[in-house]
Amino acid sequence: MRYLSADIIYPLNRTPIIEGVLVIDSGVIVDLLDSRDGIENLELFEGFLCPGFVNTHCHLELSHMLDKLPKQSGLPQFISQVSKQREESSVIIQEAINVADKQMQDNGIVAVGDISNTTDTFALKSLSPIYYHTFIELFAINSAKAEKVFQKGLSIQNKCQTPSSIVPHATYSVSNHLFEKIKQHNSGEIVCLHNQETKTEDTLFLHGSGALYNHLKEFGELNVSGMSALKTVLPKMPQVPTLLVHNTYTSQADVEWAESQYENLFWCTCPKANLYIEDRLPNYKNFKGATMTIGTDSLASNHTLSIWEEVQTILNNTNLDLNTILTWACKNGADFLQLKDLGSFEKGKKPGVNLIHKNKVQRLE
Ligand SMILES: [Zn+2]
């Protein structure tokens, strides 16, 4: 039995406790005490304790692209660069995946929602102490390619040893035919979708114009609908717990509409990647009442895979309090990934214990 205490404990299922004690046995939360009085064998730390972090959006297989892509070039440019950089030797790709997984462990991350377009990460994920849910991501705006792309997705999924789902890449990169196939195939698994990451994403759907439209129009039919990207695409998604990723340009009206029409929506913010690619953050005030989670995105668009650094970026750019942002970083992510043991210091859970002191993360359990 360990008795862990720090300046503040953030349990996340209740209000923070100053100078409380976390009682833990083989990683399982046994009790949470409001006072240190009368406790022997107390382990006392400077800083604060919080549960293990949940990274709801990563692309581990892009880890070898660290420092390879130009910053603040905008999304269309970024996407074409990513496809060029995919051609790398498998030794280099595998080494980078291993280093990135280890970095996430060291940064106190206990679970990850990870995007895969290939099988490159599957061996590592099945061995890592981190819990991985793999989102096998499909894209093709040419509907003639839908069947082939879908079959390829199924064969990738067959090789995946972690829990997995087949998901569409983004609002603008999937034909109606492929959306339909993904919806038909889903039997209740959680899904995700890159949403409103660039300003011209809405312009594409609303007006059939703009940089993203011009970049994509030669590849297939685009769904110009006179509505926002989110309003156009959300009805095409399976009705299951859904993570909308980025939402950098999502309006308050869109959030309110989505929340009124759909249950089980989770909104993932990747602030450091947004600053890297688009040099802009979402307006967090637009997401009042929505369930927020945090992702690192990939090392193609970030220098580190650290949820704590993402938390600090949000803290430094908003008036939100630490308890709220930690709830996004731990509890809400665990809720989305349906991991009942993780996300808070509730009795009986085994969520991991992070000590944060002087902006450094140390894993205590
Ligand atoms: Zn992404």
Side-chain angles (χ1 to χ4, degrees):
M1 202 88 85
R2 295 180 75 183
Y3 296 85
L4 307 175
S5 188
D7 301 323
I8 309 181
I9 298 176
Y10 288 91
L12 306 180
N13 60 322
R14 50 164 287 189
T15 50
I17 308 167
I18 294 166
E19 299 186 354
V21 180
L22 189 63
V23 187
I24 194 156
D25 189 11
S26 306
V28 177
I29 308 298
V30 175
D31 209 351
L32 196 51
L33 310 173
D34 289 315
S35 159
R36 295 169 177 167
D37 293 350
I39 306 277
E40 289 171 29
N41 307 325
L42 197 63
E43 295 177 59
L44 200 53
F45 299 96
E46 277 181 84
F48 70 82
L49 303 181
C50 72
F53 295 120
V54 177
N55 179 2
T56 55
H57 186 71
C58 186
H59 302 245
L60 198 57
E61 68 186 18
L62 303 183
S63 297
H64 62 285
M65 297 185 192
L66 176 64
D67 293 330
K68 292 261 170 68
L69 303 189
K71 278 183 170 178
Q72 294 159 14
S73 57
L75 186 68
Q77 179 66 20
F78 181 83
I79 291 173
S80 29
Q81 287 291 324
V82 165
S83 19
K84 283 183 197 140
Q85 295 285 345
R86 276 192 180 271
E87 291 148 25
E88 187 50 273
S89 85
S90 66
V91 175
I92 288 176
I93 290 175
Q94 289 303 323
E95 174 63 20
I97 287 168
N98 274 287
V99 170
D101 172 79
K102 180 71 171 48
Q103 185 188 114
M104 285 201 278
Q105 293 176 42
D106 292 343
N107 288 333
I109 293 169
V110 293
V112 178
D114 188 61
I115 303 280
S116 290
N117 301 101
T118 70
T119 59
D120 290 349
T121 56
F122 290 1
L124 177 280
K125 283 176 187 169
S126 65
L127 296 172
S128 172
I130 291 179
Y131 174 95
Y132 281 98
H133 185 104
T134 300
F135 295 105
I136 294 155
E137 180 187 81
L138 307 185
F139 55 89
I141 49 175
N142 180 347
S143 57
K145 291 189 175 168
E147 183 61 33
K148 197 174 164 203
V149 165
F150 186 74
Q151 290 304 329
K152 189 176 172 212
L154 285 180
S155 77
I156 291 175
Q157 189 176 37
N158 280 334
K159 296 180 184 109
C160 186
Q161 291 148 291
T162 59
S164 66
S165 321
I166 291 191
V167 300
H169 163 247
T171 59
Y172 53 81
S173 56
V174 176
S175 67
N176 284 336
H177 190 33
L178 186 52
F179 265 122
E180 191 53 38
K181 291 188 106 29
I182 292 168
K183 194 173 185 173
Q184 292 292 329
H185 176 73
N186 187 285
S187 52
E189 310 86 64
I190 59 173
V191 294
C192 63
L193 175 79
H194 290 83
N195 177 58
Q196 294 169 314
E197 184 178 359
T198 188
K199 186 161 183 59
T200 55
E201 198 169 324
D202 273 342
T203 322
L204 181 159
F205 290 96
L206 281 163
H207 309 299
S209 62
L212 192 62
Y213 180 85
N214 292 332
H215 180 75
L216 293 173
K217 64 184 176 196
E218 63 179 295
F219 299 108
E221 62 278 24
L222 295 166
N223 250 316
V224 180
S225 62
M227 295 186 292
S228 72
L230 184 66
K231 273 194 170 170
T232 308
V233 170
L234 209 43
K236 304 178 203 288
M237 297 290 287
Q239 303 295 300
V240 294
T242 299
L243 186 76
L244 297 162
V245 181
H246 289 304
N247 315 304
T248 324
Y249 293 86
T250 307
S251 66
Q252 189 178 355
D254 266 5
V255 175
E256 284 171 3
W257 168 81
E259 286 291 327
S260 72
Q261 298 293 314
Y262 295 89
E263 287 178 12
N264 288 319
L265 289 182
F266 295 80
W267 306 75
C268 173
T269 184
C270 307
K272 287 181 66 208
N274 295 159
L275 292 173
Y276 191 112
I277 300 176
E278 291 268 334
D279 195 23
R280 142 137 192 179
L281 291 174
N283 182 355
Y284 291 104
K285 291 188 178 123
N286 291 350
F287 299 89
K288 207 159 183 271
T291 308
M292 301 294 288
T293 73
I294 300 179
T296 57
D297 214 345
S298 71
L299 287 174
S301 60
N302 205 337
H303 299 296
T304 52
L305 301 179
S306 165
I307 292 296
W308 172 240
E309 287 190 19
E310 306 291 334
V311 169
Q312 286 176 287
T313 304
I314 301 169
L315 261 183
N316 293 338
N317 287 283
T318 66
N319 295 321
L320 291 158
D321 63 272
L322 182 57
N323 190 59
T324 298
I325 307 172
L326 287 175
T327 305
W328 303 1
C330 307
K331 186 172 184 301
N332 293 355
D335 287 348
F336 169 61
L337 292 176
Q338 304 184 318
L339 301 172
K340 294 191 178 359
D341 259 2
L342 303 184
S344 72
F345 288 148
E346 206 176 314
K347 280 184 207 175
K349 290 194 178 193
K350 197 177 178 183
V353 180
N354 288 332
L355 168 69
I356 317 283
H357 179 50
K358 292 189 172 163
N359 288 333
K360 292 248 177 330
V361 182
Q362 189 191 334
R363 211 40 213 278
L364 298 184
E365 281 284 346

